[in-house]
Amino acid sequence: MAYTVGQVARVAGVTVRTLHHYDEIGLLSPSGRTAAGYRRYDDGDLQRLQLVLYYRELGFPLEQIAAIIDDPAADPAAHLRRQHELLTVRIKRLQEMVAAIEFAMEASKLNIHLTPEERFEVFGDFKPEEHEAEAERRWGDTDAYRESNRRASGHSKDDWLRIRAENEDWGRRIVAVLASGAPADSPEAMDLAEEHRQIIGRWFYECSYEIHTGLADMYLADERFTAHYETIVPGLAAYLNEAIHANAISRA
């Protein structure tokens, strides 16, 4: 059976422009054309598109997806096994992300015992209590949440001001490294990724490399975190994500 580009786009949940792009780069070219030159896709093309979308969802760049799919040594069963393995790893990482109390650190009051004046000095116009319910819903049953809550409740105003100053200083330095053109897997960027992990561990909870990479993924998956870093400097969310992953691979 032959399908038009519009039909394929609707079935696959992608745009016609995406399909045109895949055709232009040779990732997914239709098996046929009409006399007028319009694209026509067959069932084999749809199977290939399904593989493309699986790997894209897993975060693979398009060039690498093409290399994987076109590997002559791979068969459909091998692709399914690989996707199963990758998804299993991703699920485990997402489960670890529930322990990502950095969100709670930034968005929950965590029993912070400060006067209104002190809270404004620490948090400014930000109101942590507005996000408390979500933080507890997402992470309230984890050991990391409980540890972070316990430790945060003991922080004084001076502690919170030191935390803010450390984060602001770290932020200025990561922006400078990004602006210098150093790649995300450079020693400078990875050192700052490691420092980021240690700040969390010093003030809130034990942040393993696995949890830290889970946080890094959340910076891209959660639009609020992405927007936070992008308002500092465009590209920072993706850069920090790559630096954290590179640091974990290098040190773990």
Side-chain angles (χ1 to χ4, degrees), residues 59-85:
F60 285 80
L62 297 181
E63 297 82 359
Q64 190 172 354
I65 293 173
I68 293 171
I69 294 177
D70 293 331
D71 181 359
D75 59 22
H79 281 300
L80 289 174
R81 286 194 297 271
R82 179 175 177 82
Q83 289 157 11
H84 182 272
E85 292 169 359

Side-chain angles (χ1 to χ4, degrees), residues 14-24 49 53 56:
V14 298
T15 65
V16 170
R17 182 176 180 181
T18 294
L19 293 174
H20 287 176
H21 177 61
Y22 288 173
D23 186 10
E24 291 167 0
L49 176 59
L53 296 180
R56 191 183 72 175

Side-chain angles (χ1 to χ4, degrees), residues 83-94 210:
Q83 289 157 11
H84 182 272
E85 292 169 359
L86 292 170
L87 285 170
T88 300
V89 171
R90 185 170 185 179
I91 288 169
K92 186 175 187 298
R93 177 173 293 167
L94 289 173
E210 190 167 10

Side-chain angles (χ1 to χ4, degrees), residues 217-231 237-238:
D217 290 340
M218 187 167 63
Y219 296 155
L220 298 183
D222 190 316
E223 62 184 11
R224 292 166 297 183
F225 279 100
T226 304
H228 167 73
Y229 286 111
E230 292 300 295
T231 56

Side-chain angles (χ1 to χ4, degrees), residues 163-174 192 195:
I163 293 168
R164 189 178 73 177
E166 283 188 18
N167 277 285
E168 289 175 349
D169 176 63
W170 174 88
R172 285 190 292 269
R173 288 182 285 126
I174 191 71
L192 284 168
E195 183 177 336

Side-chain angles (χ1 to χ4, degrees), residues 29-162:
S29 297
S31 297
R33 296 262 181 176
T34 67
Y38 294 110
R39 296 171 173 84
R40 285 292 184 268
Y41 296 83
D42 64 17
D43 291 333
D45 297 329
L46 294 185
Q47 290 176 359
R48 182 179 176 91
L49 176 59
Q50 186 178 45
L51 289 175
V52 170
L53 296 180
Y54 280 152
Y55 284 115
R56 191 183 72 175
E57 179 65 23
L58 289 166
F60 285 80
L62 297 181
E63 297 82 359
Q64 190 172 354
I65 293 173
I68 293 171
I69 294 177
D70 293 331
D71 181 359
D75 59 22
H79 281 300
L80 289 174
R81 286 194 297 271
R82 179 175 177 82
Q83 289 157 11
H84 182 272
E85 292 169 359
L86 292 170
L87 285 170
T88 300
V89 171
R90 185 170 185 179
I91 288 169
K92 186 175 187 298
R93 177 173 293 167
L94 289 173
Q95 290 172 334
E96 289 292 339
M97 283 172 59
V98 299
I101 312 305
E102 186 179 62
F103 184 91
M105 177 184 74
E106 297 177 356
S108 171
K109 67 180 180 181
L110 293 171
N111 293 327
I112 300 169
H113 302 302
L114 300 176
T115 67
E117 292 78 11
E118 290 173 332
R119 288 169 62 83
F120 183 81
E121 185 178 355
V122 170
F123 296 107
D125 292 329
F126 179 73
K127 296 180 179 179
E129 63 273 10
E130 293 181 357
H131 303 274
E132 178 186 6
E134 180 182 0
E136 185 171 1
R137 176 180 59 81
R138 295 178 68 176
W139 300 300
D141 60 349
T142 66
D143 290 339
Y145 181 93
R146 287 186 283 271
E147 180 186 358
S148 182
N149 203 344
R150 177 184 60 78
R151 293 172 63 180
S153 66
H155 292 339
S156 66
K157 183 193 77 170
D158 288 340
D159 289 330
W160 287 108
L161 290 174
R162 279 194 292 272

